Amino acid sequence: MDMDDLKDRGLVLLGCGKMGSAMLEGWLAGALEPHHVWVRDPKPSDWLQGLDGLHLNQSLPDAPAMVLVAVKPQMMDDALPELRALGNGKTVFLSVAAGTAIAKYEALLGDATPVIRAMPNTPAAVGRGITALVANAKGAPSLPLAEKLLQAVGQTVRLDSEDQMDAVTAVSGSGPAYVFHMIECLAQAGEAQGLDAELALALAKATVGGAGHLAENSPKDPGQLRVDVTSPNGTTEAGLKVLMADLPDLVKRTVAAAADRSRELKG
C-alpha cells in the first residue's frame, strides 16, 4: 500500500475533533485533497463543513485504504462496531485514541485487522508535531505509509513495544498542554512584576517558542544550553534556584499521573 492507493481507495476519519482536525489540516496542506477523505463526526465544525469536496457523514467506501480512529476512548465501544465489516484485512486501522490498546481493536474488529497505534500531538496543526507509532503483525507492512502520512504534520518515531505508549502519551501527547500552562504562568509572573498583560504574554510566548526551537536544533543537550545561559550569581541563576527546587519532582508527578490515566483507559 502506498500514497496513491490511499488516494484511490480513500482515507476515513472516524471522529474529527481537535486532534483529527489538526492532522487533517496538515494533510490538506500538501499530501491529500478533500475528495480523498471521508469524515464521520456527529458534530462537525464549521471548518469541516466548509471544505469543498470532503465526504462529510456520507456513505463510506466498501474498502477504504485506511481508517483513522480519532474518537475519545470512552466512545470506542459505540463507534467501532459499525465498522466491523471493514475488519477483513484490506483496510488498515490507524488509531490516535489515547489509552486504547491494539488488542481492543482486534477484539472489536477481528484478528485479521491490520492495526497501527499512533500518538501524535497538537503541534501537528502547524507541521511541528511528533508521532510515535507501533503496529500489530498485520499492520507492520503499512507502517511506512503511516509514517509518510504522519510526517506531513511533523516527525515520527517507531516504538519497540506497545508498552511504551503510555509514557509517550504522557510526555509528547499531553506535553503541549504542560508547555501552554508554563506560558500562562510565565506571563502571569511578568504581570506580577509590573508588565502590561499583553506585553508579558508576548514575551512568554516568544521565549518558550524560541527556546524550544533552539533546544530542538542545537547539537548541545538542554542541560548544557541551560548552563550556557546561566551566569554565576546572575539573574538566571537566582531564578533557577527557585525553579529547580520544585520543578523536577513536579514534572515527574505530572507525567506519572498522565501515564497512569492512560493505563486506566485501557481497562
Side-chain angles (χ1 to χ4, degrees):
M1 184 184 297
D2 56 20
M3 189 64 72
D4 287 339
D5 194 38
L6 187 71
K7 293 177 180 179
D8 290 341
R9 294 169 53 197
L11 169 67
V12 174
L13 270 68
L14 183 61
C16 198
K18 292 180 180 179
M19 179 54 69
S21 294
M23 297 172 70
L24 179 58
E25 184 176 356
W27 296 331
L28 295 181
L32 297 173
E33 296 180 19
H35 68 269
H36 298 134
V37 182
W38 279 253
V39 172
R40 300 291 293 272
D41 193 287
K43 297 180 180 179
S45 66
D46 291 341
W47 175 70
L48 283 174
Q49 295 181 62
L51 289 175
D52 187 29
L54 182 75
H55 305 277
L56 181 58
N57 291 325
Q58 298 177 10
S59 297
L60 301 182
D62 292 334
M66 184 173 288
V67 173
L68 175 74
V69 183
V71 300
K72 294 183 182 299
Q74 298 89 334
M75 300 170 60
M76 199 66 65
D77 289 341
D78 294 329
L80 283 184
E82 66 172 319
L83 299 180
R84 187 173 179 84
L86 301 181
N88 53 19
K90 298 179 181 179
T91 297
V92 177
F93 281 75
L94 174 60
S95 169
V96 297
T100 304
I102 288 174
K104 180 82 167 181
Y105 292 95
E106 293 172 337
L108 290 171
L109 299 168
D111 293 338
T113 306
V115 181
I116 299 172
R117 187 177 171 196
M119 175 48 60
N121 58 8
T122 51
V126 292
R128 294 295 303 275
I130 185 164
T131 303
L133 302 98
V134 66
N136 64 4
K138 293 186 179 297
S142 297
L143 271 171
L145 175 61
E147 284 184 310
K148 185 174 182 180
L149 188 64
L150 291 167
Q151 283 167 2
V153 293
Q155 303 176 52
T156 60
V157 293
R158 291 193 193 185
L159 303 183
D160 295 328
S161 74
E162 191 179 6
D163 292 340
Q164 297 174 297
M165 191 61 81
D166 296 310
V168 169
T169 300
V171 174
S172 60
S174 299
Y178 313 153
V179 177
F180 298 150
H181 187 51
M182 177 64 181
I183 294 172
E184 290 180 293
C185 291
L186 193 56
Q188 290 166 5
E191 286 186 66
Q193 292 299 315
L195 295 177
D196 173 83
E198 186 175 346
L199 173 58
L201 182 58
L203 290 170
K205 289 165 65 175
T207 298
V208 172
H213 186 73
L214 177 60
E216 189 174 17
N217 290 278
S218 174
K220 298 180 180 179
D221 64 58
Q224 185 59 53
L225 291 173
R226 171 180 53 78
V227 170
D228 289 349
V229 77
T230 306
S231 301
N233 299 315
T235 59
T236 304
E237 183 179 79
L240 282 172
K241 284 181 178 178
V242 177
L243 188 66
M244 294 177 72
D246 297 317
L247 187 63
D249 180 65
L250 180 61
V251 172
K252 283 182 181 178
R253 290 190 287 114
T254 298
V255 171
D260 287 346
R261 181 55 179 155
S262 180
R263 295 182 186 102
E264 290 171 0
L265 287 171
K266 287 187 292 189

